[in-house]
Amino acid sequence: MAEVKKLGVIGAGLMGNGIAHVAALSGVPVALVDVNPAALEKALATIGKNLDRQAAKGGIAAGAKEEALARIAAGTDFAAFADCDLVIEAATENEEIKKKIFSSVCPILRPDAILATNTSSIPITRLGAATDRPGRFVGMHFFNPVPMMKLVEVIRGLATEDATVAAVTALAERMGKTVVAAADYPAFVVNRILCPMLNEAIFALMEGVGDVRAIDAGMKLGANHPMGPLELSDFVGLDTLYSVLKVLHEGLGDPKYRPCPLLAKYVEAGWLGRKSGRGFYDYSTNPPTPTR
């Protein structure tokens, strides 16, 4: 098993900047690439703020912030991945976009380099078949916010080699993460269980079983959840939740995974949760107020 000495990250959004953060903090040089220069600027600012927060809480040593930031090279050209041992794709949860990215990045990678995807639901075998390296293709699913969440799901496709799984597992553990192996079924372990629960909460809202406050308070106080399901849906992103449910519904063919029509309506309206400022809560107020 070859050690990952340099990591590439595709996408500087919420997940991409989080992966770059934890990798750089663990001592791994990172090439962070996004087609949008503004996204890269925002990502570096976010990583800096999050490192400051960790330092203020005593979670990292003095000087660790500067050392971590110095390990991240941000740019817009996939050529930065030419000497990477592993590249993790962390683009939007859209299969066609991911495949287009793979077709652009694969010719640049070394023949022995590993390509991983941070998809939260799309089958790994299918994505790997769209690359030139299905044996060195793997799912490496981090959770949001990456610096805080300890779990990484590692999902092997039908063709994924043992050495590939060993390499990404070792890297995740170096980052301080706990790895669970998940089979290559739609949405894997966590989202296979979590997303239908969130969807059911939205059905309960649509049907008037309870309002937003009642549903969230009920699950926090009655099931001891740290966040209510509608609050969590806003945090995840309603478009992301909708995409995962569609993958589950189409991939497994069971009507219990059918996305709630109210969720579809919110996505169509652009009410995507925290990232858009409005979802099941309106985030222009403090504290946020329910929109239904």
Side-chain angles (χ1 to χ4, degrees), residues 230-231 233-239 262-263 265-285 288-292:
L230 301 175
E231 180 186 9
S233 296
D234 275 359
F235 184 80
V236 168
L238 302 188
D239 53 339
L262 181 61
L263 173 62
K265 187 175 293 186
Y266 271 56
V267 172
E268 289 168 357
W271 293 11
L272 307 181
R274 289 193 185 187
K275 60 186 173 185
S276 69
R278 191 178 183 91
F280 294 112
Y281 290 87
D282 180 351
Y283 295 92
S284 67
T285 63
T289 54
T291 54
R292 286 179 70 92

Side-chain angles (χ1 to χ4, degrees), residues 116-119 124 137-141 153-157 160 168:
T117 176
N118 184 57
T119 181
I124 302 305
F137 187 88
V138 67
M140 196 177 185
H141 180 211
E153 288 181 320
V154 171
I155 311 101
R156 67 188 307 156
T160 306
V168 298

